[in-house]
Structures are given as structure tokens and as C-alpha cells.
Amino acid sequence: MVKWIDVSVLKHQLKLFDGNRLIKIYPIGVGRILTPTPDGTYTIINKQRNPGGPFGVFWMGLSKRHYGIHGTNNPSSIGKHASHGCIRMHNRDVLELSAQVPIGTKVTIHR
């Protein structure tokens, strides 16, 4: 099977699947109204540990330029529309997720 990620902006949820099997659901923070998280299907194109700034302990860049899945130094933003369009996760969650998904993993984002 192939792992892939489903992101629900309205539910503030990131689901990790292995084929059709749900592995885990993570709470996330998403983009504000003026800087929404973009709908679409993308792939993880790079990974970086300790990227600095507001990105927490890990960054996974998406094939949509300037967007990614990353940790946060502001855990109270999880469950809210608070980012500039990226998908924020608790630091422990982004580390767990990043260990399970390789570069090339499909990410589907929808309302």
C-alpha cells in the first residue's frame, strides 16, 4: 500500500492513510481567511529538521511553492484558522508523521 495524507481545513484534521486504511488523525491549524490553506492535491517535496522561525521542529514542503506541513512554536494555534496558509501541527505530531511519510507522499487538501 501507499501512504497518503488527507487534510480537512474545516475539521482542522490531518488524516494519515495507508491505502484505504486510516492510520491516525492529527489536530492541525490552518490558514486564516485572508491567507487560506490552498485546496488541491500536492506532494511532499522536501523535509527539514529544525527549520527555525515559527516552523517548530520540522518542515515538510509541499509541491505548492511556499506551503508546507510543519510544527509550531505556538501550540495554542492548533485547531484554529491561524496560519498564513500552511498546515501547523504539534511538534511531537509532525515528528511522528514525518517519520512515516517519504518525500513524494500525496497530500490532498479540501474544505
Side-chain angles (χ1 to χ4, degrees), residues 26-56:
Y26 297 96
I28 57 169
V30 295
R32 295 183 185 111
I33 290 170
L34 295 176
T35 55
T37 300
D39 287 348
T41 300
Y42 309 103
T43 54
I44 294 172
I45 59 166
N46 58 48
K47 293 179 169 189
Q48 185 179 353
R49 184 176 279 280
N50 298 318
F55 305 118

PDB file of all heavy atoms in Angstrom, residues 26-56:
ATOM      1  N   TYR A  26      -4.698  13.560  13.188  1.00  0.00           N
ATOM      2  CA  TYR A  26      -3.982  14.583  13.961  1.00  0.00           C
ATOM      3  C   TYR A  26      -4.761  15.898  13.927  1.00  0.00           C
ATOM      4  O   TYR A  26      -5.294  16.280  12.877  1.00  0.00           O
ATOM      5  CB  TYR A  26      -2.616  14.850  13.341  1.00  0.00           C
ATOM      6  CG  TYR A  26      -1.672  13.682  13.330  1.00  0.00           C
ATOM      7  CD1 TYR A  26      -1.543  12.869  12.211  1.00  0.00           C
ATOM      8  CD2 TYR A  26      -0.867  13.404  14.434  1.00  0.00           C
ATOM      9  CE1 TYR A  26      -0.650  11.810  12.190  1.00  0.00           C
ATOM     10  CE2 TYR A  26       0.031  12.353  14.421  1.00  0.00           C
ATOM     11  CZ  TYR A  26       0.132  11.559  13.295  1.00  0.00           C
ATOM     12  OH  TYR A  26       1.026  10.511  13.273  1.00  0.00           O
ATOM     13  N   PRO A  27      -4.765  16.653  15.035  1.00  0.00           N
ATOM     14  CA  PRO A  27      -5.333  18.007  15.013  1.00  0.00           C
ATOM     15  C   PRO A  27      -4.337  18.956  14.341  1.00  0.00           C
ATOM     16  O   PRO A  27      -3.121  18.794  14.486  1.00  0.00           O
ATOM     17  CB  PRO A  27      -5.495  18.350  16.496  1.00  0.00           C
ATOM     18  CG  PRO A  27      -4.416  17.560  17.175  1.00  0.00           C
ATOM     19  CD  PRO A  27      -4.260  16.290  16.366  1.00  0.00           C
ATOM     20  N   ILE A  28      -4.856  19.917  13.594  1.00  0.00           N
ATOM     21  CA  ILE A  28      -3.989  20.870  12.890  1.00  0.00           C
ATOM     22  C   ILE A  28      -4.513  22.293  13.008  1.00  0.00           C
ATOM     23  O   ILE A  28      -5.680  22.512  13.324  1.00  0.00           O
ATOM     24  CB  ILE A  28      -3.862  20.512  11.391  1.00  0.00           C
ATOM     25  CG1 ILE A  28      -5.249  20.455  10.716  1.00  0.00           C
ATOM     26  CG2 ILE A  28      -3.105  19.203  11.202  1.00  0.00           C
ATOM     27  CD1 ILE A  28      -5.220  20.377   9.199  1.00  0.00           C
ATOM     28  N   GLY A  29      -3.651  23.238  12.718  1.00  0.00           N
ATOM     29  CA  GLY A  29      -4.029  24.626  12.499  1.00  0.00           C
ATOM     30  C   GLY A  29      -3.897  24.900  11.002  1.00  0.00           C
ATOM     31  O   GLY A  29      -3.046  24.310  10.337  1.00  0.00           O
ATOM     32  N   VAL A  30      -4.757  25.767  10.479  1.00  0.00           N
ATOM     33  CA  VAL A  30      -4.770  26.049   9.044  1.00  0.00           C
ATOM     34  C   VAL A  30      -4.770  27.554   8.797  1.00  0.00           C
ATOM     35  O   VAL A  30      -4.752  28.354   9.730  1.00  0.00           O
ATOM     36  CB  VAL A  30      -5.994  25.382   8.367  1.00  0.00           C
ATOM     37  CG1 VAL A  30      -5.891  23.860   8.460  1.00  0.00           C
ATOM     38  CG2 VAL A  30      -7.294  25.868   8.981  1.00  0.00           C
ATOM     39  N   GLY A  31      -4.832  27.929   7.518  1.00  0.00           N
ATOM     40  CA  GLY A  31      -4.738  29.330   7.126  1.00  0.00           C
ATOM     41  C   GLY A  31      -5.908  30.187   7.574  1.00  0.00           C
ATOM     42  O   GLY A  31      -7.039  29.713   7.704  1.00  0.00           O
ATOM     43  N   ARG A  32      -5.592  31.456   7.774  1.00  0.00           N
ATOM     44  CA  ARG A  32      -6.624  32.452   8.087  1.00  0.00           C
ATOM     45  C   ARG A  32      -7.483  32.704   6.852  1.00  0.00           C
ATOM     46  O   ARG A  32      -7.129  32.310   5.740  1.00  0.00           O
ATOM     47  CB  ARG A  32      -5.961  33.775   8.481  1.00  0.00           C
ATOM     48  CG  ARG A  32      -5.150  33.721   9.740  1.00  0.00           C
ATOM     49  CD  ARG A  32      -4.625  35.139  10.033  1.00  0.00           C
ATOM     50  NE  ARG A  32      -3.751  35.111  11.176  1.00  0.00           N
ATOM     51  CZ  ARG A  32      -2.431  35.307  11.133  1.00  0.00           C
ATOM     52  NH1 ARG A  32      -1.838  35.543   9.981  1.00  0.00           N
ATOM     53  NH2 ARG A  32      -1.714  35.264  12.224  1.00  0.00           N
ATOM     54  N   ILE A  33      -8.572  33.443   7.039  1.00  0.00           N
ATOM     55  CA  ILE A  33      -9.473  33.771   5.926  1.00  0.00           C
ATOM     56  C   ILE A  33      -8.716  34.505   4.819  1.00  0.00           C
ATOM     57  O   ILE A  33      -8.894  34.207   3.642  1.00  0.00           O
ATOM     58  CB  ILE A  33     -10.677  34.604   6.432  1.00  0.00           C
ATOM     59  CG1 ILE A  33     -11.594  33.715   7.284  1.00  0.00           C
ATOM     60  CG2 ILE A  33     -11.459  35.204   5.257  1.00  0.00           C
ATOM     61  CD1 ILE A  33     -12.678  34.455   8.024  1.00  0.00           C
ATOM     62  N   LEU A  34      -7.858  35.449   5.168  1.00  0.00           N
ATOM     63  CA  LEU A  34      -7.128  36.224   4.165  1.00  0.00           C
ATOM     64  C   LEU A  34      -5.934  35.480   3.581  1.00  0.00           C
ATOM     65  O   LEU A  34      -5.409  35.870   2.541  1.00  0.00           O
ATOM     66  CB  LEU A  34      -6.677  37.568   4.749  1.00  0.00           C
ATOM     67  CG  LEU A  34      -7.797  38.525   5.133  1.00  0.00           C
ATOM     68  CD1 LEU A  34      -7.230  39.780   5.785  1.00  0.00           C
ATOM     69  CD2 LEU A  34      -8.639  38.891   3.910  1.00  0.00           C
ATOM     70  N   THR A  35      -5.494  34.425   4.264  1.00  0.00           N
ATOM     71  CA  THR A  35      -4.358  33.626   3.780  1.00  0.00           C
ATOM     72  C   THR A  35      -4.730  32.150   3.905  1.00  0.00           C
ATOM     73  O   THR A  35      -4.166  31.415   4.714  1.00  0.00           O
ATOM     74  CB  THR A  35      -3.078  33.934   4.582  1.00  0.00           C
ATOM     75  OG1 THR A  35      -3.344  33.725   5.985  1.00  0.00           O
ATOM     76  CG2 THR A  35      -2.595  35.350   4.357  1.00  0.00           C
ATOM     77  N   PRO A  36      -5.712  31.706   3.097  1.00  0.00           N
ATOM     78  CA  PRO A  36      -6.255  30.352   3.277  1.00  0.00           C
ATOM     79  C   PRO A  36      -5.278  29.247   2.875  1.00  0.00           C
ATOM     80  O   PRO A  36      -4.397  29.452   2.046  1.00  0.00           O
ATOM     81  CB  PRO A  36      -7.484  30.352   2.372  1.00  0.00           C
ATOM     82  CG  PRO A  36      -7.189  31.362   1.314  1.00  0.00           C
ATOM     83  CD  PRO A  36      -6.362  32.419   1.992  1.00  0.00           C
ATOM     84  N   THR A  37      -5.482  28.100   3.474  1.00  0.00           N
ATOM     85  CA  THR A  37      -4.766  26.892   3.060  1.00  0.00           C
ATOM     86  C   THR A  37      -5.332  26.485   1.698  1.00  0.00           C
ATOM     87  O   THR A  37      -6.548  26.388   1.555  1.00  0.00           O
ATOM     88  CB  THR A  37      -4.977  25.775   4.101  1.00  0.00           C
ATOM     89  OG1 THR A  37      -4.455  26.243   5.365  1.00  0.00           O
ATOM     90  CG2 THR A  37      -4.269  24.495   3.705  1.00  0.00           C
ATOM     91  N   PRO A  38      -4.484  26.282   0.689  1.00  0.00           N
ATOM     92  CA  PRO A  38      -4.986  26.033  -0.671  1.00  0.00           C
ATOM     93  C   PRO A  38      -5.536  24.622  -0.866  1.00  0.00           C
ATOM     94  O   PRO A  38      -4.893  23.641  -0.502  1.00  0.00           O
ATOM     95  CB  PRO A  38      -3.742  26.243  -1.531  1.00  0.00           C
ATOM     96  CG  PRO A  38      -2.604  25.879  -0.631  1.00  0.00           C
ATOM     97  CD  PRO A  38      -3.025  26.310   0.755  1.00  0.00           C
ATOM     98  N   ASP A  39      -6.748  24.535  -1.432  1.00  0.00           N
ATOM     99  CA  ASP A  39      -7.311  23.244  -1.820  1.00  0.00           C
ATOM    100  C   ASP A  39      -6.496  22.664  -2.969  1.00  0.00           C
ATOM    101  O   ASP A  39      -5.939  23.405  -3.775  1.00  0.00           O
ATOM    102  CB  ASP A  39      -8.758  23.409  -2.312  1.00  0.00           C
ATOM    103  CG  ASP A  39      -9.748  23.688  -1.194  1.00  0.00           C
ATOM    104  OD1 ASP A  39      -9.383  23.537  -0.010  1.00  0.00           O
ATOM    105  OD2 ASP A  39     -10.887  24.057  -1.514  1.00  0.00           O
ATOM    106  N   GLY A  40      -6.468  21.335  -3.035  1.00  0.00           N
ATOM    107  CA  GLY A  40      -5.794  20.694  -4.162  1.00  0.00           C
ATOM    108  C   GLY A  40      -5.049  19.454  -3.735  1.00  0.00           C
ATOM    109  O   GLY A  40      -5.074  19.069  -2.561  1.00  0.00           O
ATOM    110  N   THR A  41      -4.389  18.840  -4.694  1.00  0.00           N
ATOM    111  CA  THR A  41      -3.584  17.657  -4.436  1.00  0.00           C
ATOM    112  C   THR A  41      -2.132  18.001  -4.727  1.00  0.00           C
ATOM    113  O   THR A  41      -1.811  18.483  -5.822  1.00  0.00           O
ATOM    114  CB  THR A  41      -4.057  16.472  -5.302  1.00  0.00           C
ATOM    115  OG1 THR A  41      -5.416  16.192  -4.970  1.00  0.00           O
ATOM    116  CG2 THR A  41      -3.213  15.234  -5.024  1.00  0.00           C
ATOM    117  N   TYR A  42      -1.285  17.791  -3.755  1.00  0.00           N
ATOM    118  CA  TYR A  42       0.130  18.154  -3.830  1.00  0.00           C
ATOM    119  C   TYR A  42       0.973  16.965  -3.393  1.00  0.00           C
ATOM    120  O   TYR A  42       0.439  15.928  -3.002  1.00  0.00           O
ATOM    121  CB  TYR A  42       0.407  19.362  -2.917  1.00  0.00           C
ATOM    122  CG  TYR A  42      -0.547  20.501  -3.162  1.00  0.00           C
ATOM    123  CD1 TYR A  42      -1.611  20.747  -2.297  1.00  0.00           C
ATOM    124  CD2 TYR A  42      -0.431  21.305  -4.287  1.00  0.00           C
ATOM    125  CE1 TYR A  42      -2.516  21.778  -2.541  1.00  0.00           C
ATOM    126  CE2 TYR A  42      -1.331  22.335  -4.540  1.00  0.00           C
ATOM    127  CZ  TYR A  42      -2.367  22.567  -3.668  1.00  0.00           C
ATOM    128  OH  TYR A  42      -3.258  23.572  -3.918  1.00  0.00           O
ATOM    129  N   THR A  43       2.278  17.119  -3.435  1.00  0.00           N
ATOM    130  CA  THR A  43       3.175  16.090  -2.912  1.00  0.00           C
ATOM    131  C   THR A  43       4.180  16.743  -1.971  1.00  0.00           C
ATOM    132  O   THR A  43       4.464  17.948  -2.079  1.00  0.00           O
ATOM    133  CB  THR A  43       3.938  15.344  -4.025  1.00  0.00           C
ATOM    134  OG1 THR A  43       4.608  16.299  -4.831  1.00  0.00           O
ATOM    135  CG2 THR A  43       3.012  14.516  -4.874  1.00  0.00           C
ATOM    136  N   ILE A  44       4.700  15.946  -1.040  1.00  0.00           N
ATOM    137  CA  ILE A  44       5.776  16.412  -0.169  1.00  0.00           C
ATOM    138  C   ILE A  44       7.060  16.389  -1.000  1.00  0.00           C
ATOM    139  O   ILE A  44       7.425  15.346  -1.553  1.00  0.00           O
ATOM    140  CB  ILE A  44       5.909  15.515   1.076  1.00  0.00           C
ATOM    141  CG1 ILE A  44       4.657  15.648   1.957  1.00  0.00           C
ATOM    142  CG2 ILE A  44       7.170  15.875   1.871  1.00  0.00           C
ATOM    143  CD1 ILE A  44       4.594  14.664   3.107  1.00  0.00           C
ATOM    144  N   ILE A  45       7.717  17.547  -1.128  1.00  0.00           N
ATOM    145  CA  ILE A  45       8.903  17.629  -1.987  1.00  0.00           C
ATOM    146  C   ILE A  45      10.210  17.775  -1.210  1.00  0.00           C
ATOM    147  O   ILE A  45      11.281  17.588  -1.778  1.00  0.00           O
ATOM    148  CB  ILE A  45       8.784  18.763  -3.030  1.00  0.00           C
ATOM    149  CG1 ILE A  45       8.601  20.128  -2.354  1.00  0.00           C
ATOM    150  CG2 ILE A  45       7.634  18.479  -4.003  1.00  0.00           C
ATOM    151  CD1 ILE A  45       8.825  21.298  -3.285  1.00  0.00           C
ATOM    152  N   ASN A  46      10.137  18.152   0.068  1.00  0.00           N
ATOM    153  CA  ASN A  46      11.359  18.228   0.869  1.00  0.00           C
ATOM    154  C   ASN A  46      11.014  18.142   2.345  1.00  0.00           C
ATOM    155  O   ASN A  46       9.864  18.316   2.743  1.00  0.00           O
ATOM    156  CB  ASN A  46      12.174  19.499   0.558  1.00  0.00           C
ATOM    157  CG  ASN A  46      11.383  20.773   0.790  1.00  0.00           C
ATOM    158  OD1 ASN A  46      10.742  20.932   1.827  1.00  0.00           O
ATOM    159  ND2 ASN A  46      11.410  21.679  -0.159  1.00  0.00           N
ATOM    160  N   LYS A  47      12.040  17.855   3.139  1.00  0.00           N
ATOM    161  CA  LYS A  47      11.892  17.769   4.592  1.00  0.00           C
ATOM    162  C   LYS A  47      13.084  18.460   5.228  1.00  0.00           C
ATOM    163  O   LYS A  47      14.196  18.362   4.713  1.00  0.00           O
ATOM    164  CB  LYS A  47      11.882  16.311   5.057  1.00  0.00           C
ATOM    165  CG  LYS A  47      10.693  15.488   4.621  1.00  0.00           C
ATOM    166  CD  LYS A  47      10.870  14.077   5.148  1.00  0.00           C
ATOM    167  CE  LYS A  47       9.649  13.230   5.016  1.00  0.00           C
ATOM    168  NZ  LYS A  47       9.811  11.951   5.726  1.00  0.00           N
ATOM    169  N   GLN A  48      12.829  19.135   6.342  1.00  0.00           N
ATOM    170  CA  GLN A  48      13.925  19.793   7.046  1.00  0.00           C
ATOM    171  C   GLN A  48      13.670  19.772   8.549  1.00  0.00           C
ATOM    172  O   GLN A  48      12.621  20.216   9.012  1.00  0.00           O
ATOM    173  CB  GLN A  48      14.084  21.238   6.571  1.00  0.00           C
ATOM    174  CG  GLN A  48      15.278  21.926   7.193  1.00  0.00           C
ATOM    175  CD  GLN A  48      15.440  23.356   6.695  1.00  0.00           C
ATOM    176  OE1 GLN A  48      14.753  23.807   5.795  1.00  0.00           O
ATOM    177  NE2 GLN A  48      16.352  24.069   7.302  1.00  0.00           N
ATOM    178  N   ARG A  49      14.641  19.261   9.293  1.00  0.00           N
ATOM    179  CA  ARG A  49      14.567  19.262  10.752  1.00  0.00           C
ATOM    180  C   ARG A  49      15.038  20.627  11.257  1.00  0.00           C
ATOM    181  O   ARG A  49      15.968  21.211  10.715  1.00  0.00           O
ATOM    182  CB  ARG A  49      15.462  18.156  11.303  1.00  0.00           C
ATOM    183  CG  ARG A  49      15.377  18.005  12.809  1.00  0.00           C
ATOM    184  CD  ARG A  49      16.201  16.835  13.294  1.00  0.00           C
ATOM    185  NE  ARG A  49      15.506  15.558  13.144  1.00  0.00           N
ATOM    186  CZ  ARG A  49      14.577  15.118  13.990  1.00  0.00           C
ATOM    187  NH1 ARG A  49      14.207  15.852  15.011  1.00  0.00           N
ATOM    188  NH2 ARG A  49      14.004  13.946  13.806  1.00  0.00           N
ATOM    189  N   ASN A  50      14.382  21.140  12.290  1.00  0.00           N
ATOM    190  CA  ASN A  50      14.728  22.422  12.921  1.00  0.00           C
ATOM    191  C   ASN A  50      14.927  23.542  11.907  1.00  0.00           C
ATOM    192  O   ASN A  50      16.009  24.121  11.811  1.00  0.00           O
ATOM    193  CB  ASN A  50      15.978  22.252  13.796  1.00  0.00           C
ATOM    194  CG  ASN A  50      15.749  21.276  14.924  1.00  0.00           C
ATOM    195  OD1 ASN A  50      14.700  21.282  15.552  1.00  0.00           O
ATOM    196  ND2 ASN A  50      16.717  20.413  15.163  1.00  0.00           N
ATOM    197  N   PRO A  51      13.860  23.886  11.151  1.00  0.00           N
ATOM    198  CA  PRO A  51      13.993  24.906  10.109  1.00  0.00           C
ATOM    199  C   PRO A  51      14.125  26.338  10.641  1.00  0.00           C
ATOM    200  O   PRO A  51      14.449  27.240   9.894  1.00  0.00           O
ATOM    201  CB  PRO A  51      12.701  24.753   9.302  1.00  0.00           C
ATOM    202  CG  PRO A  51      11.709  24.227  10.293  1.00  0.00           C
ATOM    203  CD  PRO A  51      12.506  23.323  11.198  1.00  0.00           C
ATOM    204  N   GLY A  52      13.875  26.527  11.927  1.00  0.00           N
ATOM    205  CA  GLY A  52      13.973  27.874  12.503  1.00  0.00           C
ATOM    206  C   GLY A  52      12.670  28.642  12.358  1.00  0.00           C
ATOM    207  O   GLY A  52      11.716  28.179  11.737  1.00  0.00           O
ATOM    208  N   GLY A  53      12.642  29.829  12.928  1.00  0.00           N
ATOM    209  CA  GLY A  53      11.445  30.660  12.847  1.00  0.00           C
ATOM    210  C   GLY A  53      10.242  30.013  13.513  1.00  0.00           C
ATOM    211  O   GLY A  53      10.385  29.262  14.473  1.00  0.00           O
ATOM    212  N   PRO A  54       9.050  30.268  12.958  1.00  0.00           N
ATOM    213  CA  PRO A  54       7.816  29.775  13.581  1.00  0.00           C
ATOM    214  C   PRO A  54       7.457  28.347  13.193  1.00  0.00           C
ATOM    215  O   PRO A  54       6.360  27.899  13.489  1.00  0.00           O
ATOM    216  CB  PRO A  54       6.768  30.750  13.039  1.00  0.00           C
ATOM    217  CG  PRO A  54       7.270  31.082  11.671  1.00  0.00           C
ATOM    218  CD  PRO A  54       8.794  31.123  11.813  1.00  0.00           C
ATOM    219  N   PHE A  55       8.366  27.627  12.530  1.00  0.00           N
ATOM    220  CA  PHE A  55       8.022  26.338  11.935  1.00  0.00           C
ATOM    221  C   PHE A  55       8.252  25.146  12.852  1.00  0.00           C
ATOM    222  O   PHE A  55       8.208  24.000  12.414  1.00  0.00           O
ATOM    223  CB  PHE A  55       8.763  26.144  10.617  1.00  0.00           C
ATOM    224  CG  PHE A  55       8.528  27.261   9.647  1.00  0.00           C
ATOM    225  CD1 PHE A  55       9.573  28.043   9.203  1.00  0.00           C
ATOM    226  CD2 PHE A  55       7.250  27.546   9.197  1.00  0.00           C
ATOM    227  CE1 PHE A  55       9.358  29.085   8.320  1.00  0.00           C
ATOM    228  CE2 PHE A  55       7.008  28.587   8.310  1.00  0.00           C
ATOM    229  CZ  PHE A  55       8.068  29.359   7.872  1.00  0.00           C
ATOM    230  N   GLY A  56       8.500  25.382  14.124  1.00  0.00           N
ATOM    231  CA  GLY A  56       8.651  24.291  15.076  1.00  0.00           C
ATOM    232  C   GLY A  56       9.867  23.436  14.777  1.00  0.00           C
ATOM    233  O   GLY A  56      10.884  23.918  14.281  1.00  0.00           O
TER     234      GLY A  56
END
